[in-house]
Amino acid sequence: MSRATLRDVAKLAGVSVATASKALNGQPQVRAETRERVIRAAEQLSFSPNTLAQGLITQRSGTVGLLTSDLEGRFSIPILMGAEDAFGSDQTSVFLCDARGDTIREKHHLRALLSRRVDGLIVVGARPDTRPSLGDLPVPVVYAYAPSDDPADLSLITDNTGGGRTAVDHLIRCGRRRIAHITGDPGYSAAQDRARGAVDRLTEEGLTLAGGEVWFGMWSEAWGRGATRMLLERCPDVDAIFAGSDEIARGVLDVLHEERIDVPSRVAVIGFDNWSVLAVNSRPPLTTIDLNLEHLGRIAAQRLSAAMDGTAASGVETFPVRLITRESTAPLR
Amino acid sequence: MSRATLRDVAKLAGVSVATASKALNGQPQVRAETRERVIRAAEQLSFSPNTLAQGLITQRSGTVGLLTSDLEGRFSIPILMGAEDAFGSDQTSVFLCDARGDTIREKHHLRALLSRRVDGLIVVGARPDTRPSLGDLPVPVVYAYAPSDDPADLSLITDNTGGGRTAVDHLIRCGRRRIAHITGDPGYSAAQDRARGAVDRLTEEGLTLAGGEVWFGMWSEAWGRGATRMLLERCPDVDAIFAGSDEIARGVLDVLHEERIDVPSRVAVIGFDNWSVLAVNSRPPLTTIDLNLEHLGRIAAQRLSAAMDGTAASGVETFPVRLITRESTAPLR
DNA sequence: CAGCGGGCCGAAAAGGTTTTCACGAACGTC
DNA sequence: GACGTTCGTGAAAACCTTTTCGGCCCGCTG
């Protein structure tokens, strides 16, 4: 099965390539009967236009690059799906490249992508902290998840502060008053932001954190377990725990369960990320905060399209997160 | 920042485009001094060749398509990484498309990829069962993870039977004799194959499954928990459990822990998949079977390269899995 | 000194498509 | 019957690069 060219189609239809092109592309200056003949010829040869040649002359390759450092991670994939969705998949295909956290590999991929004449670039960081800008490029770029350090770039991020606030707000609405916060590495802006949001909301309510302060540590179940044990010792009457990630929340649940402390009737637990393999399967299923990453991906695609059409934006846009209610939280009584 | 063409480079270097091309591509028929001049000009203009044009004439786009139905899943990503790795990333870029289990979406993506003149295709199924062949295509195809139903195609799969055998073998070497197997949906060939491997190895040793038979159910923690409870009731002296997935294994561990049954001293537990967020974080960390998917991806890339160079293969190749020993198994005593 | 071969370089074709422009025919108008 | 429109079609240029082949200049050989 070999590839037919437009010339083959034209010959079979008895017209010139120019006419064939116009017929297939819906240009008006061709007689209906002729168009019909061309289309039939194309089908008969199962012709499909060579996108490379098209790109060469239209100066649009119909491709974008997705440059990430978080492939096996769970962030780039939803973003990719959202983006794939927003570009019609027949219009635009996406090159996926994983730099694996390595700057020179990133440069490498960048060169390759530019050489392939991608129409735009989406850059997804591995963590929500600011990352170095790629600088001035011949194609539009949007940074998603991790913002660029250059305000002239366009960055799309999730609202971690708002997420912390939402989580605590939900716990308060459940009637909880003694709320603790166990979270990950304090070196991550995500940890800091979520904690800030949580504390802000608590302060509005005239409350302070159970346990006195935020329990920073690591993004792991083990830390969730350890911190929970310490927390229970220092503060046995805690009635809600806001975990900075679903992994941590799993550790929290594990220890509560071990101590025969019922969730949610005695202690409510809320996670962060809505990583479904963790959140759905836990006992009980975990209320958590969803980052809305597919949405972020869709917006990234839209912004990219806009920029390709000449209306580029810049600055940082923050997108709201979403509360997912499951069974690990419930009103008191 | 706009894109320089080879003609710009040639003009700046004071040579013809032909010479410029040869200079940059290391062709011998150009004087060293001239080459030097061209290279400097190229750097100065930060020239990068237009891959579309190159592809047009060499008849090679330097791209491959990865068609999957398992994006948020954990299988395609390692395969993608392996493939990206095996193709030099500067030589070949990969288009990632997710059909989301939808046949017409798959057709759609396929059209788009062929239109983009990909040099080859890797098809990754969502589950290890046989899937329909894409049929005769103008480019080579390799099926990975899920084999094609057409023996004329080339399929690369993991050895699930061998995995079951390896798991049980490990438990036997740990001195266990009363080994149970809790696994997922019996409609998955993976479940059947793993079970068969396990039973085979048991039979060789003159043993039978603790609990009398394989506990088929669902691929979830909840099933792991439920099955374990039933198992303990029917067969309280079980000394090892082989779980058909890490998710199930998590459920198993959870109940054992709840029942204060020590792992691994009283019951050893082994999982399947080496899904690290589950396996590494569990208590204790989970011994499991790794599918070696990156390796599968690398081989897929190699087979594809070979096919592109004219030496196509067909049939089904099975690749061994790998035992990852952590702390949920240990010799008795 | 004629002829020849080797070393470097440039002109041109090729790859597949889109788009512009010119051309011819058919038709209507005066 | 001459002229102006409109409609449909085709020739050719353009996109950017690689590759073939011919040509030029030099130095060498006979």
Side-chain angles (χ1 to χ4, degrees):
Chain A
M1 188 175 162
S2 173
R3 45 223 123 44
T5 117
L6 187 56
R7 197 157 61 197
D8 302 330
V9 174
K11 195 173 336 171
L12 180 59
V15 297
S16 73
V17 289
T19 311
S21 169
K22 282 177 276 199
L24 294 175
N25 293 326
Q27 298 278 9
Q29 341 98 322
V30 40
R31 209 169 17 148
E33 188 265 339
T34 311
R35 184 189 309 278
E36 185 57 34
R37 225 170 52 231
V38 173
I39 290 179
R40 267 208 308 275
E43 279 172 358
Q44 194 172 330
L45 299 174
S46 67
F47 166 76
S48 94
N50 185 326
T51 318
L52 275 56
Q54 281 178 327
L56 199 50
I57 114 157
T58 60
Q59 306 283 46
R60 283 255 177 135
S61 65
T63 61
V64 304
L66 181 12
L67 196 50
T68 174
S69 281
D70 169 55
L71 241 196
E72 95 268 36
R74 51 203 179 293
F75 304 121
S76 9
I77 301 303
I79 292 177
L80 169 65
M81 309 261 285
E84 203 188 27
D85 222 78
F87 297 126
S89 66
D90 39 338
Q91 302 298 342
T92 306
S93 303
V94 9
F95 283 118
L96 184 56
C97 302
D98 187 3
R100 304 183 199 180
D102 178 352
T103 311
I104 77 157
R105 204 192 298 253
E106 182 174 279
K107 287 252 184 302
H108 207 71
H109 277 134
L110 184 59
R111 269 191 82 80
L113 288 171
L114 292 179
S115 193
R116 296 227 129 79
R117 294 302 187 264
V118 292
D119 296 330
L121 226 45
I122 300 179
V123 179
V124 180
R127 38 185 284 193
D129 298 82
T130 297
R131 55 148 288 149
S133 171
L134 253 26
D136 212 22
L137 258 33
V139 296
V141 182
V142 10
Y143 296 79
Y145 195 64
S148 158
D149 60 3
D150 182 347
D153 294 326
L154 174 62
S155 303
L156 270 30
I157 63 173
T158 57
D159 185 5
N160 281 305
T161 311
R165 163 177 292 275
T166 302
V168 167
D169 181 71
H170 173 66
L171 295 174
I172 287 171
R173 284 173 197 276
C174 287
R176 314 290 165 152
R177 312 281 296 172
R178 291 179 300 278
I179 301 172
H181 182 31
I182 298 174
T183 191
D185 186 338
Y188 279 59
S189 64
Q192 297 292 348
D193 291 347
R194 291 168 195 176
R196 183 149 32 82
V199 171
D200 282 0
R201 183 67 189 83
L202 241 25
T203 306
E204 287 173 16
E205 210 69 18
L207 297 175
T208 58
L209 273 172
E213 55 188 340
V214 178
W215 299 69
F216 287 106
M218 289 154 38
W219 302 107
S220 72
E221 277 191 60
W223 165 244
R225 290 192 290 260
T228 305
R229 281 202 200 90
M230 294 190 288
L231 173 66
L232 289 174
E233 195 150 333
R234 185 180 311 177
C235 189
D237 61 347
V238 61
D239 63 10
I241 300 177
F242 165 31
S245 77
D246 290 345
E247 274 187 271
I248 292 173
R250 285 297 294 249
V252 170
L253 285 176
D254 202 2
V255 168
L256 292 176
H257 194 245
E258 182 174 280
E259 298 296 328
R260 310 283 194 239
I261 295 175
D262 189 72
V263 176
S265 71
R266 213 182 112 200
V267 174
V269 175
I270 185 168
F272 212 107
D273 286 344
N274 194 26
W275 193 354
S276 75
V277 65
L278 296 178
V280 172
N281 284 314
S282 73
R283 188 161 50 147
L286 195 61
T287 294
T288 187
I289 302 287
D290 188 290
L291 259 18
N292 260 332
L293 292 174
E294 329 70 19
H295 181 243
L296 205 64
R298 268 195 295 279
I299 302 285
Q302 287 171 16
R303 293 287 182 278
L304 216 45
S305 298
M308 285 162 11
D309 294 343
T311 55
S314 68
V316 177
E317 291 187 56
T318 304
F319 293 86
V321 299
R322 194 168 32 130
L323 176 70
I324 306 288
T325 311
R326 294 201 184 89
E327 298 160 35
S328 67
T329 57
L332 268 184
R333 281 296 85 205
Chain B
M1 187 173 161
S2 174
R3 42 214 118 60
T5 126
L6 188 57
R7 197 158 62 197
D8 302 331
V9 174
K11 197 176 332 171
L12 181 58
V15 298
S16 72
V17 288
T19 310
S21 169
K22 282 177 277 199
L24 294 176
N25 293 326
Q27 299 277 9
Q29 340 98 323
V30 39
R31 211 173 10 152
E33 188 264 340
T34 312
R35 185 189 308 278
E36 184 58 32
R37 226 168 53 229
V38 173
I39 291 178
R40 266 207 309 274
E43 279 172 357
Q44 194 172 330
L45 300 173
S46 66
F47 166 77
S48 92
N50 185 326
T51 317
L52 276 57
Q54 287 182 160
L56 199 51
I57 111 158
T58 59
Q59 305 284 44
R60 284 252 177 137
S61 64
T63 61
V64 304
L66 182 12
L67 197 50
T68 174
S69 281
D70 169 57
L71 240 194
E72 95 268 33
R74 52 204 178 294
F75 303 120
S76 8
I77 301 303
I79 292 177
L80 169 65
M81 309 259 288
E84 204 187 28
D85 220 79
F87 298 125
S89 67
D90 39 340
Q91 302 298 342
T92 306
S93 303
V94 10
F95 282 117
L96 185 57
C97 302
D98 187 4
R100 304 181 200 183
D102 179 353
T103 311
I104 76 156
R105 204 192 298 252
E106 182 174 279
K107 287 250 185 303
H108 206 70
H109 276 134
L110 183 59
R111 268 191 83 78
L113 289 172
L114 292 179
S115 193
R116 295 228 129 78
R117 294 301 188 266
V118 291
D119 296 330
L121 227 44
I122 300 179
V123 180
V124 180
R127 37 186 283 193
D129 298 82
T130 296
R131 54 148 289 147
S133 170
L134 253 26
D136 211 22
L137 258 32
V139 296
V141 182
V142 9
Y143 297 79
Y145 194 65
S148 158
D149 60 3
D150 182 347
D153 293 327
L154 175 62
S155 303
L156 270 29
I157 64 173
T158 57
D159 185 5
N160 281 303
T161 311
R165 164 176 290 275
T166 302
V168 167
D169 181 71
H170 174 67
L171 295 173
I172 288 171
R173 284 173 197 276
C174 287
R176 314 289 166 154
R177 312 281 296 173
R178 293 179 298 278
I179 300 173
H181 181 30
I182 298 174
T183 190
D185 186 339
Y188 280 59
S189 64
Q192 298 291 349
D193 292 347
R194 291 168 194 176
R196 181 150 32 81
V199 170
D200 282 0
R201 183 65 188 86
L202 241 25
T203 306
E204 286 173 14
E205 209 68 17
L207 298 174
T208 59
L209 273 172
E213 54 188 342
V214 178
W215 300 69
F216 288 105
M218 290 155 35
W219 301 108
S220 71
E221 275 192 62
W223 165 244
R225 289 192 292 260
T228 305
R229 279 202 201 90
M230 295 190 288
L231 172 66
L232 289 175
E233 196 150 332
R234 184 180 312 177
C235 187
D237 63 346
V238 60
D239 63 11
I241 301 177
F242 166 31
S245 77
D246 290 345
E247 273 187 273
I248 292 173
R250 285 295 295 247
V252 170
L253 285 177
D254 202 1
V255 169
L256 290 176
H257 194 245
E258 182 174 282
E259 298 296 329
R260 310 283 194 237
I261 296 175
D262 189 73
V263 177
S265 70
R266 216 182 111 201
V267 175
V269 176
I270 185 169
F272 212 106
D273 287 344
N274 194 25
W275 193 353
S276 74
V277 65
L278 295 178
V280 172
N281 284 315
S282 73
R283 189 160 52 147
L286 195 61
T287 294
T288 188
I289 303 287
D290 188 291
L291 259 17
N292 260 333
L293 292 174
E294 329 71 19
H295 182 242
L296 205 65
R298 268 194 296 277
I299 302 285
Q302 288 171 15
R303 293 288 182 279
L304 217 45
S305 298
M308 287 164 8
D309 295 344
T311 56
S314 68
V316 177
E317 291 186 56
T318 304
F319 293 87
V321 298
R322 194 169 30 132
L323 176 70
I324 305 288
T325 311
R326 294 201 183 89
E327 298 160 35
S328 67
T329 58
L332 269 182
R333 288 288 91 209

